[in-house]
Amino acid sequence: MSERPEHGVSSQVVTVGGRRITLTHLDKVLYPETGTTKADVLGYYAAVADVLIPHAANRPATRKRWVHGVGTADEPGHVFFQKNLDSSTPDWVRRGRIQHADHVNEYPLVNDLATLTWLGQISALEIHVPQWQFGGDGSPRNPDRLVLDLDPGEGVTLAECAEVARLARAILRDMGLDPLPVTSGSKGIHLYAALDLSHTSEQVSQVAHELARALEADHPALVVSDMKKARRPGRVFVDWSQNSSAKTTVTPYSLRGTLRPMVAMPRTWRELASPGLAQVDFRQAMHRVERSGDPLAALLAAHSRGAGSGADTLGADALAAYRGKRDAMKTPEPMPTGAVTAGDGRSFVIQEHHARNLHHDLRLEHEGVLASWALPRGVPTDPAKNHLAVRTEDHPLEYGAFEGEIPAGEYGAGTVQIWDRGAYDLEKWRDDEVIATLNGEPQGGLHGSKRFALIHTDGANWLIHLMKPRPSSGAVRPPTGSTSGASAAGPDRRTRYRPMLATLGSVADLPEEDEWAFEMKWDGVRALAYVRAEEPPAEVRLVTRNGNDVTAAYPELVAALPLALRADSAVLDGEIVALDRAGRPDFGLLQTRLGLTDRGRIDAAVTATPVRFMVFDLLERDGEPLLDLAYAARRAVLGDILVEVGAVQVPPVFDGDAAEAVRSSRDLGLEGVVAKTLTGSYQPGRRSRSWIKIRHHRSQEVVIGGWRPGNGRRAGTVGSLLMGIPDGDRLRFVGRVGTGFRDRDLDDLRARLHSIDAADNPFADVPVAEARDARWVRPALVGEVEFAEWTSAGRLRHPSWRGWRPDKSPADVAREAP
């Protein structure tokens, strides 16, 4: 039993995980600026315990205590920095001991909610831990994670820390490490990357130090790696020293002793690119955890295997994360002690887990362990409705037969029952996608065989999608060739359609009398695909919204589309997207594929940045136009004639609740949703209200009419671009954009702009201050920006550059409404 403290009660005895804890002074205000009390702090730690504890477990915890509160800006509260446990510590608190030259320090291990509650009771607001854990024998292990602390100097903002985070991420990914960000709750950002226990803290510190030096060498005006505080103003200090075995970092989800109750909050890379990036307070943190779980959970799963492929690092304890969360003396769960041996078994189990919240656990045998996902909403039964799947720690193979009761107070407390089990047929296993057919028992919950796809979206979050049964051999005809040229029938016949366009709106713009379906909005380039596969050679043509033939630029789509088509010919509507390593569309990444014509550069880009074609509509089948069919009927035919092969995908359709579809899109880190009436026809080239696009972030296409030189670290290159929207034969000035550019973007900008230099100002109303040092260009290039809002003067507030739109012409650009 566990109870949360109640306001208005000065003291209270609660039972947490079988431990009785007396909570006192619950109404004491610990954060005077917000009136946040000790009861609020205890309630917060109870709410986030499931995500905080795994990141702190089995690590010696140093505490920062504000017994009388954090105080105010004028009178800061006194802080106690505490390492060693004192005699008042409850005897049930698990401990770890560190031998020093002349003494031993004893630290608490934050391995359960009872210990976390006790820490809240003694006003230990901040919990700091090292990058290593205690092993089973009580001795420190090698570090299982690398951390970089990006600390802004005077005059530096969180946005510049995010820029350095992206630069560091590029280097770490080249090293085979994929870092995850945490806004620190104070001023900066922490980056965590999983390690495989094969290097000492000293070695990891050396690597981190060299990485910080490399960042400083490449970006001296932005980054400093020197510990001297005098060098930090105006730059981001990359603190590599916290990888030392003697150093600690505030644990993710810990509160901070700041004037307001802020939190060290795991974030997504998409959030770090947002112009509105800010630190998160404890109420926002609780809401985010309830809604989206733990964006940092992938770090825990990776701890057991390290940063490389599983086969390369099984020598490290593949079940370390599993063991670290469980006490073998208290739980009946299997706790094997032998080394994990990679195998090629194909067993699976789905367990019904009656824990704090009822959910199912899917476990697939892979490389000697059970790769595991929690399914909060159960196993999907409708192909049109995907479910969330959260990657958890690998489990031992013995867990495939486990049923029983996990005691209260232990990790995963509750009843576990086998829902179905058997063997699976594997089609694909990649870091970002798994496709398998699960062959269950006759009386099992699957009721036979079901085909599923697990698709990685962000952090530990995946989607599980119920797929159609795998087509029989020969159902998909292999192409014998492809071409990007026009057929003998002529290009006009083959490209006679223009895409239907959506109207920008909100959930409130969806008439209740209409039935709506919802598609995720993909952040890419719109294209129509003309595919002929009835006789060799197969033929594909890709045409963008403004009529540009881009077939040659995407050879992987040319190869995949005939394979995916189960008809003689078709005209398909979809989006060309590039996915980041988290499986989310990345428009910035797609920029590297736009405008390529050289065969060698295209081939290199296919390897470096593969794209996918997300097909969401069907205009023609076997020469028969389908424009007058209702949307629901077109989608049904599309599902019959197109299978997912290689780079071609048919994203699912969500029906029912609009708000839920919007929430799902936001949780998955996507751009928004497109609502479509089930009865609507396809209207080529028209912007229709039967398609409503609902975005999470406001964006606007703009025409570039000039630029202003940069200064500081941008001296000698472009500082900002002057933006406009066509108004007759002139441009109406809507502001300038100087953020969101990567270094390689800046190198490209001057070349692009120099080729369209112009003597005359193309704007009708550019302010004198903006025109003072401006260089004018012909208004021929279209780009896209994100922004906060339109000002009363018709300017874009806080715009941030997203990238070029070569698929659009200036005549296509208009102010988005609302």
PDB file of all heavy atoms in Angstrom, residues 529-554:
ATOM      1  N   ALA A 529       3.286   9.680 -57.654  1.00  0.00           N
ATOM      2  CA  ALA A 529       4.070   8.601 -58.264  1.00  0.00           C
ATOM      3  C   ALA A 529       3.236   7.941 -59.351  1.00  0.00           C
ATOM      4  O   ALA A 529       2.136   7.436 -59.079  1.00  0.00           O
ATOM      5  CB  ALA A 529       4.484   7.577 -57.214  1.00  0.00           C
ATOM      6  N   TYR A 530       3.751   7.960 -60.579  1.00  0.00           N
ATOM      7  CA  TYR A 530       3.120   7.290 -61.721  1.00  0.00           C
ATOM      8  C   TYR A 530       3.879   5.977 -61.925  1.00  0.00           C
ATOM      9  O   TYR A 530       5.067   5.982 -62.271  1.00  0.00           O
ATOM     10  CB  TYR A 530       3.201   8.166 -62.969  1.00  0.00           C
ATOM     11  CG  TYR A 530       2.439   9.477 -62.831  1.00  0.00           C
ATOM     12  CD1 TYR A 530       2.981  10.556 -62.133  1.00  0.00           C
ATOM     13  CD2 TYR A 530       1.186   9.619 -63.401  1.00  0.00           C
ATOM     14  CE1 TYR A 530       2.285  11.746 -62.008  1.00  0.00           C
ATOM     15  CE2 TYR A 530       0.475  10.819 -63.278  1.00  0.00           C
ATOM     16  CZ  TYR A 530       1.029  11.872 -62.587  1.00  0.00           C
ATOM     17  OH  TYR A 530       0.333  13.051 -62.459  1.00  0.00           O
ATOM     18  N   VAL A 531       3.217   4.863 -61.683  1.00  0.00           N
ATOM     19  CA  VAL A 531       3.886   3.558 -61.661  1.00  0.00           C
ATOM     20  C   VAL A 531       3.218   2.642 -62.686  1.00  0.00           C
ATOM     21  O   VAL A 531       1.992   2.498 -62.700  1.00  0.00           O
ATOM     22  CB  VAL A 531       3.811   2.908 -60.256  1.00  0.00           C
ATOM     23  CG1 VAL A 531       4.665   1.644 -60.208  1.00  0.00           C
ATOM     24  CG2 VAL A 531       4.260   3.893 -59.179  1.00  0.00           C
ATOM     25  N   ARG A 532       4.047   2.028 -63.551  1.00  0.00           N
ATOM     26  CA  ARG A 532       3.566   1.020 -64.497  1.00  0.00           C
ATOM     27  C   ARG A 532       4.395  -0.236 -64.266  1.00  0.00           C
ATOM     28  O   ARG A 532       5.614  -0.210 -64.341  1.00  0.00           O
ATOM     29  CB  ARG A 532       3.742   1.506 -65.944  1.00  0.00           C
ATOM     30  CG  ARG A 532       2.943   2.755 -66.269  1.00  0.00           C
ATOM     31  CD  ARG A 532       3.283   3.315 -67.640  1.00  0.00           C
ATOM     32  NE  ARG A 532       2.896   2.400 -68.715  1.00  0.00           N
ATOM     33  CZ  ARG A 532       1.701   2.405 -69.289  1.00  0.00           C
ATOM     34  NH1 ARG A 532       0.776   3.273 -68.902  1.00  0.00           N
ATOM     35  NH2 ARG A 532       1.411   1.563 -70.266  1.00  0.00           N
ATOM     36  N   ALA A 533       3.711  -1.343 -63.971  1.00  0.00           N
ATOM     37  CA  ALA A 533       4.424  -2.583 -63.664  1.00  0.00           C
ATOM     38  C   ALA A 533       3.864  -3.759 -64.438  1.00  0.00           C
ATOM     39  O   ALA A 533       4.212  -4.899 -64.161  1.00  0.00           O
ATOM     40  CB  ALA A 533       4.345  -2.865 -62.158  1.00  0.00           C
ATOM     41  N   GLU A 534       3.022  -3.508 -65.464  1.00  0.00           N
ATOM     42  CA  GLU A 534       2.361  -4.630 -66.116  1.00  0.00           C
ATOM     43  C   GLU A 534       3.277  -5.404 -67.044  1.00  0.00           C
ATOM     44  O   GLU A 534       3.027  -6.556 -67.379  1.00  0.00           O
ATOM     45  CB  GLU A 534       1.106  -4.155 -66.881  1.00  0.00           C
ATOM     46  CG  GLU A 534       1.370  -3.390 -68.183  1.00  0.00           C
ATOM     47  CD  GLU A 534       1.532  -1.896 -67.952  1.00  0.00           C
ATOM     48  OE1 GLU A 534       1.957  -1.526 -66.839  1.00  0.00           O
ATOM     49  OE2 GLU A 534       1.222  -1.123 -68.854  1.00  0.00           O
ATOM     50  N   GLU A 535       4.355  -4.779 -67.505  1.00  0.00           N
ATOM     51  CA  GLU A 535       5.267  -5.501 -68.386  1.00  0.00           C
ATOM     52  C   GLU A 535       6.645  -4.887 -68.225  1.00  0.00           C
ATOM     53  O   GLU A 535       6.789  -3.699 -67.949  1.00  0.00           O
ATOM     54  CB  GLU A 535       4.814  -5.416 -69.836  1.00  0.00           C
ATOM     55  CG  GLU A 535       4.722  -3.997 -70.377  1.00  0.00           C
ATOM     56  CD  GLU A 535       4.199  -3.943 -71.807  1.00  0.00           C
ATOM     57  OE1 GLU A 535       3.448  -4.858 -72.186  1.00  0.00           O
ATOM     58  OE2 GLU A 535       4.536  -2.983 -72.518  1.00  0.00           O
ATOM     59  N   PRO A 536       7.672  -5.684 -68.378  1.00  0.00           N
ATOM     60  CA  PRO A 536       9.014  -5.135 -68.257  1.00  0.00           C
ATOM     61  C   PRO A 536       9.328  -4.242 -69.460  1.00  0.00           C
ATOM     62  O   PRO A 536       8.843  -4.502 -70.554  1.00  0.00           O
ATOM     63  CB  PRO A 536       9.902  -6.379 -68.220  1.00  0.00           C
ATOM     64  CG  PRO A 536       9.101  -7.448 -68.892  1.00  0.00           C
ATOM     65  CD  PRO A 536       7.665  -7.134 -68.614  1.00  0.00           C
ATOM     66  N   PRO A 537      10.169  -3.205 -69.270  1.00  0.00           N
ATOM     67  CA  PRO A 537      10.703  -2.832 -67.960  1.00  0.00           C
ATOM     68  C   PRO A 537       9.688  -2.027 -67.143  1.00  0.00           C
ATOM     69  O   PRO A 537       8.891  -1.296 -67.707  1.00  0.00           O
ATOM     70  CB  PRO A 537      11.909  -1.957 -68.316  1.00  0.00           C
ATOM     71  CG  PRO A 537      11.525  -1.316 -69.612  1.00  0.00           C
ATOM     72  CD  PRO A 537      10.714  -2.352 -70.360  1.00  0.00           C
ATOM     73  N   ALA A 538       9.714  -2.198 -65.824  1.00  0.00           N
ATOM     74  CA  ALA A 538       8.850  -1.408 -64.957  1.00  0.00           C
ATOM     75  C   ALA A 538       9.200   0.068 -65.112  1.00  0.00           C
ATOM     76  O   ALA A 538      10.332   0.422 -65.437  1.00  0.00           O
ATOM     77  CB  ALA A 538       9.034  -1.843 -63.509  1.00  0.00           C
ATOM     78  N   GLU A 539       8.209   0.922 -64.880  1.00  0.00           N
ATOM     79  CA  GLU A 539       8.412   2.356 -65.106  1.00  0.00           C
ATOM     80  C   GLU A 539       7.842   3.152 -63.945  1.00  0.00           C
ATOM     81  O   GLU A 539       6.738   2.884 -63.471  1.00  0.00           O
ATOM     82  CB  GLU A 539       7.734   2.769 -66.417  1.00  0.00           C
ATOM     83  CG  GLU A 539       8.020   4.198 -66.821  1.00  0.00           C
ATOM     84  CD  GLU A 539       7.382   4.538 -68.160  1.00  0.00           C
ATOM     85  OE1 GLU A 539       6.929   3.609 -68.851  1.00  0.00           O
ATOM     86  OE2 GLU A 539       7.330   5.725 -68.488  1.00  0.00           O
ATOM     87  N   VAL A 540       8.620   4.127 -63.496  1.00  0.00           N
ATOM     88  CA  VAL A 540       8.207   4.976 -62.382  1.00  0.00           C
ATOM     89  C   VAL A 540       8.538   6.420 -62.730  1.00  0.00           C
ATOM     90  O   VAL A 540       9.586   6.711 -63.309  1.00  0.00           O
ATOM     91  CB  VAL A 540       8.941   4.582 -61.077  1.00  0.00           C
ATOM     92  CG1 VAL A 540       8.632   5.582 -59.956  1.00  0.00           C
ATOM     93  CG2 VAL A 540       8.559   3.174 -60.645  1.00  0.00           C
ATOM     94  N   ARG A 541       7.624   7.302 -62.361  1.00  0.00           N
ATOM     95  CA  ARG A 541       7.904   8.726 -62.494  1.00  0.00           C
ATOM     96  C   ARG A 541       7.392   9.432 -61.251  1.00  0.00           C
ATOM     97  O   ARG A 541       6.249   9.220 -60.833  1.00  0.00           O
ATOM     98  CB  ARG A 541       7.249   9.305 -63.749  1.00  0.00           C
ATOM     99  CG  ARG A 541       7.812  10.684 -64.106  1.00  0.00           C
ATOM    100  CD  ARG A 541       7.301  11.143 -65.448  1.00  0.00           C
ATOM    101  NE  ARG A 541       7.965  12.363 -65.879  1.00  0.00           N
ATOM    102  CZ  ARG A 541       7.564  13.105 -66.903  1.00  0.00           C
ATOM    103  NH1 ARG A 541       6.519  12.724 -67.605  1.00  0.00           N
ATOM    104  NH2 ARG A 541       8.204  14.201 -67.242  1.00  0.00           N
ATOM    105  N   LEU A 542       8.245  10.274 -60.653  1.00  0.00           N
ATOM    106  CA  LEU A 542       7.903  11.026 -59.450  1.00  0.00           C
ATOM    107  C   LEU A 542       7.848  12.506 -59.799  1.00  0.00           C
ATOM    108  O   LEU A 542       8.825  13.069 -60.318  1.00  0.00           O
ATOM    109  CB  LEU A 542       8.942  10.799 -58.350  1.00  0.00           C
ATOM    110  CG  LEU A 542       9.050   9.368 -57.812  1.00  0.00           C
ATOM    111  CD1 LEU A 542      10.327   9.209 -56.993  1.00  0.00           C
ATOM    112  CD2 LEU A 542       7.834   9.027 -56.966  1.00  0.00           C
ATOM    113  N   VAL A 543       6.723  13.144 -59.505  1.00  0.00           N
ATOM    114  CA  VAL A 543       6.512  14.540 -59.875  1.00  0.00           C
ATOM    115  C   VAL A 543       6.063  15.311 -58.638  1.00  0.00           C
ATOM    116  O   VAL A 543       5.121  14.907 -57.944  1.00  0.00           O
ATOM    117  CB  VAL A 543       5.443  14.658 -60.982  1.00  0.00           C
ATOM    118  CG1 VAL A 543       5.254  16.129 -61.376  1.00  0.00           C
ATOM    119  CG2 VAL A 543       5.836  13.830 -62.189  1.00  0.00           C
ATOM    120  N   THR A 544       6.726  16.432 -58.336  1.00  0.00           N
ATOM    121  CA  THR A 544       6.383  17.224 -57.159  1.00  0.00           C
ATOM    122  C   THR A 544       5.166  18.092 -57.434  1.00  0.00           C
ATOM    123  O   THR A 544       4.661  18.177 -58.554  1.00  0.00           O
ATOM    124  CB  THR A 544       7.559  18.121 -56.727  1.00  0.00           C
ATOM    125  OG1 THR A 544       7.805  19.090 -57.757  1.00  0.00           O
ATOM    126  CG2 THR A 544       8.804  17.311 -56.477  1.00  0.00           C
ATOM    127  N   ARG A 545       4.745  18.786 -56.387  1.00  0.00           N
ATOM    128  CA  ARG A 545       3.529  19.595 -56.455  1.00  0.00           C
ATOM    129  C   ARG A 545       3.607  20.659 -57.544  1.00  0.00           C
ATOM    130  O   ARG A 545       2.615  20.969 -58.201  1.00  0.00           O
ATOM    131  CB  ARG A 545       3.309  20.240 -55.087  1.00  0.00           C
ATOM    132  CG  ARG A 545       2.189  21.251 -55.052  1.00  0.00           C
ATOM    133  CD  ARG A 545       2.036  21.810 -53.653  1.00  0.00           C
ATOM    134  NE  ARG A 545       1.523  23.165 -53.694  1.00  0.00           N
ATOM    135  CZ  ARG A 545       1.305  23.907 -52.631  1.00  0.00           C
ATOM    136  NH1 ARG A 545       1.581  23.421 -51.435  1.00  0.00           N
ATOM    137  NH2 ARG A 545       0.833  25.124 -52.740  1.00  0.00           N
ATOM    138  N   ASN A 546       4.802  21.231 -57.762  1.00  0.00           N
ATOM    139  CA  ASN A 546       4.913  22.272 -58.782  1.00  0.00           C
ATOM    140  C   ASN A 546       5.346  21.722 -60.138  1.00  0.00           C
ATOM    141  O   ASN A 546       5.782  22.462 -61.006  1.00  0.00           O
ATOM    142  CB  ASN A 546       5.871  23.378 -58.326  1.00  0.00           C
ATOM    143  CG  ASN A 546       7.267  22.869 -58.051  1.00  0.00           C
ATOM    144  OD1 ASN A 546       7.499  21.661 -58.077  1.00  0.00           O
ATOM    145  ND2 ASN A 546       8.198  23.777 -57.781  1.00  0.00           N
ATOM    146  N   GLY A 547       5.229  20.390 -60.322  1.00  0.00           N
ATOM    147  CA  GLY A 547       5.446  19.797 -61.628  1.00  0.00           C
ATOM    148  C   GLY A 547       6.865  19.387 -61.937  1.00  0.00           C
ATOM    149  O   GLY A 547       7.149  18.960 -63.066  1.00  0.00           O
ATOM    150  N   ASN A 548       7.778  19.479 -60.974  1.00  0.00           N
ATOM    151  CA  ASN A 548       9.164  19.078 -61.224  1.00  0.00           C
ATOM    152  C   ASN A 548       9.285  17.553 -61.209  1.00  0.00           C
ATOM    153  O   ASN A 548       8.790  16.883 -60.295  1.00  0.00           O
ATOM    154  CB  ASN A 548      10.092  19.660 -60.152  1.00  0.00           C
ATOM    155  CG  ASN A 548      10.254  21.155 -60.294  1.00  0.00           C
ATOM    156  OD1 ASN A 548      10.066  21.701 -61.376  1.00  0.00           O
ATOM    157  ND2 ASN A 548      10.593  21.825 -59.205  1.00  0.00           N
ATOM    158  N   ASP A 549       9.976  17.011 -62.216  1.00  0.00           N
ATOM    159  CA  ASP A 549      10.244  15.576 -62.265  1.00  0.00           C
ATOM    160  C   ASP A 549      11.494  15.304 -61.436  1.00  0.00           C
ATOM    161  O   ASP A 549      12.592  15.750 -61.772  1.00  0.00           O
ATOM    162  CB  ASP A 549      10.453  15.133 -63.715  1.00  0.00           C
ATOM    163  CG  ASP A 549      10.544  13.618 -63.844  1.00  0.00           C
ATOM    164  OD1 ASP A 549      11.084  12.974 -62.933  1.00  0.00           O
ATOM    165  OD2 ASP A 549      10.072  13.086 -64.864  1.00  0.00           O
ATOM    166  N   VAL A 550      11.333  14.581 -60.313  1.00  0.00           N
ATOM    167  CA  VAL A 550      12.452  14.315 -59.406  1.00  0.00           C
ATOM    168  C   VAL A 550      12.777  12.826 -59.361  1.00  0.00           C
ATOM    169  O   VAL A 550      13.407  12.361 -58.417  1.00  0.00           O
ATOM    170  CB  VAL A 550      12.137  14.845 -57.985  1.00  0.00           C
ATOM    171  CG1 VAL A 550      12.048  16.363 -57.980  1.00  0.00           C
ATOM    172  CG2 VAL A 550      10.856  14.228 -57.436  1.00  0.00           C
ATOM    173  N   THR A 551      12.370  12.097 -60.371  1.00  0.00           N
ATOM    174  CA  THR A 551      12.532  10.644 -60.368  1.00  0.00           C
ATOM    175  C   THR A 551      13.979  10.229 -60.166  1.00  0.00           C
ATOM    176  O   THR A 551      14.287   9.341 -59.361  1.00  0.00           O
ATOM    177  CB  THR A 551      12.006  10.056 -61.690  1.00  0.00           C
ATOM    178  OG1 THR A 551      10.741  10.640 -61.988  1.00  0.00           O
ATOM    179  CG2 THR A 551      11.873   8.549 -61.597  1.00  0.00           C
ATOM    180  N   ALA A 552      14.875  10.862 -60.920  1.00  0.00           N
ATOM    181  CA  ALA A 552      16.280  10.445 -60.881  1.00  0.00           C
ATOM    182  C   ALA A 552      16.902  10.646 -59.509  1.00  0.00           C
ATOM    183  O   ALA A 552      17.893   9.981 -59.174  1.00  0.00           O
ATOM    184  CB  ALA A 552      17.077  11.212 -61.934  1.00  0.00           C
ATOM    185  N   ALA A 553      16.342  11.536 -58.703  1.00  0.00           N
ATOM    186  CA  ALA A 553      16.935  11.846 -57.399  1.00  0.00           C
ATOM    187  C   ALA A 553      16.641  10.784 -56.347  1.00  0.00           C
ATOM    188  O   ALA A 553      17.278  10.768 -55.293  1.00  0.00           O
ATOM    189  CB  ALA A 553      16.435  13.203 -56.904  1.00  0.00           C
ATOM    190  N   TYR A 554      15.681   9.870 -56.610  1.00  0.00           N
ATOM    191  CA  TYR A 554      15.269   8.914 -55.592  1.00  0.00           C
ATOM    192  C   TYR A 554      15.254   7.493 -56.153  1.00  0.00           C
ATOM    193  O   TYR A 554      14.184   6.865 -56.297  1.00  0.00           O
ATOM    194  CB  TYR A 554      13.892   9.292 -55.038  1.00  0.00           C
ATOM    195  CG  TYR A 554      13.847  10.685 -54.462  1.00  0.00           C
ATOM    196  CD1 TYR A 554      13.246  11.734 -55.167  1.00  0.00           C
ATOM    197  CD2 TYR A 554      14.443  10.963 -53.243  1.00  0.00           C
ATOM    198  CE1 TYR A 554      13.233  13.017 -54.654  1.00  0.00           C
ATOM    199  CE2 TYR A 554      14.431  12.252 -52.716  1.00  0.00           C
ATOM    200  CZ  TYR A 554      13.827  13.275 -53.421  1.00  0.00           C
ATOM    201  OH  TYR A 554      13.820  14.542 -52.906  1.00  0.00           O
TER     202      TYR A 554
END
